[in-house]
């Protein structure tokens, strides 16, 4: 069986710390009308089923910065908010070349690499 795709901790009401298979962390804050996902991890697996088990509310995705362990999971998102002025760096760091390099070093059973 391989590593678990995501581990979810719920330390406080409406606060979820989600760890991906490579130990990158995301935080989901769930409010009354919407939710905020802070960072997206490595993107080895689609987080949407896990997020939907937590909430059916609309989710806004915000990135803290452009390191690949925070942004490669954006591949599963339709809209992502970035810090001002970081679009070019994001495009470079989240591109297919960087994604392939990172994922090649991270063979996790059941990920895009082994399917």
């Amino acid at each position: 069986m391989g590593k678990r795709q995501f581990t979810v901790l719920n330390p406080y009401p409406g606060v979820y710390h989600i760890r991906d298979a490579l130990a990158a962390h995301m935080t989901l804050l769930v409010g009354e009308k919407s939710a905020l996902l802070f960072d997206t991890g490595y993107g080895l697996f689609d987080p949407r089923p896990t997020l939907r088990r937590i909430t059916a509310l609309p989710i806004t995705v915000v990135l803290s910065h452009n390191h690949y362990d925070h942004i490669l999971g954006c591949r599963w998102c339709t809209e992502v908010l970035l810090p001002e002025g970081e679009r070019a760096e994001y495009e470079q760091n989240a591109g297919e070349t960087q994604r392939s390099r990172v994922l090649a070093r991270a063979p996790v059973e059941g990920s895009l690499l082994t399917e």
Side-chain angles (χ1 to χ4, degrees), residues 1-111:
M1 174 112 186
K3 288 185 177 182
R4 180 181 293 181
Q5 291 181 4
F6 298 98
T7 301
V8 179
L9 301 173
N10 182 212
Y12 304 103
V15 177
Y16 299 85
H17 293 292
I18 303 166
R19 185 177 63 227
D20 71 14
L22 294 175
H25 291 84
M26 304 164 252
T27 299
L28 181 67
L29 305 173
V30 179
E32 293 181 15
K33 296 181 182 180
S34 64
L36 177 78
L37 180 64
F38 193 69
D39 291 335
T40 61
Y42 282 101
L44 292 173
F45 302 100
D46 184 348
R48 293 173 294 188
T50 299
L51 296 171
R52 287 298 163 220
R53 280 192 293 277
I54 297 169
T55 184
L57 294 172
I59 299 172
T60 300
V61 179
V62 176
L63 300 177
S64 61
H65 61 287
N66 281 315
H67 289 166
Y68 54 82
D69 57 327
H70 295 259
I71 68 171
L72 288 178
C74 289
R75 66 187 296 131
W76 309 106
C77 307
T78 55
E79 183 178 5
V80 177
L81 302 176
L82 299 164
E84 189 173 330
E86 293 195 16
R87 174 63 64 184
E89 185 180 357
Y90 166 80
E91 295 293 338
Q92 177 183 337
N93 291 346
E96 192 55 41
T97 300
Q98 177 69 352
R99 182 185 326 282
S100 295
R101 195 177 100 216
V102 170
L103 296 182
R105 296 186 326 221
V108 176
E109 186 178 328
S111 74

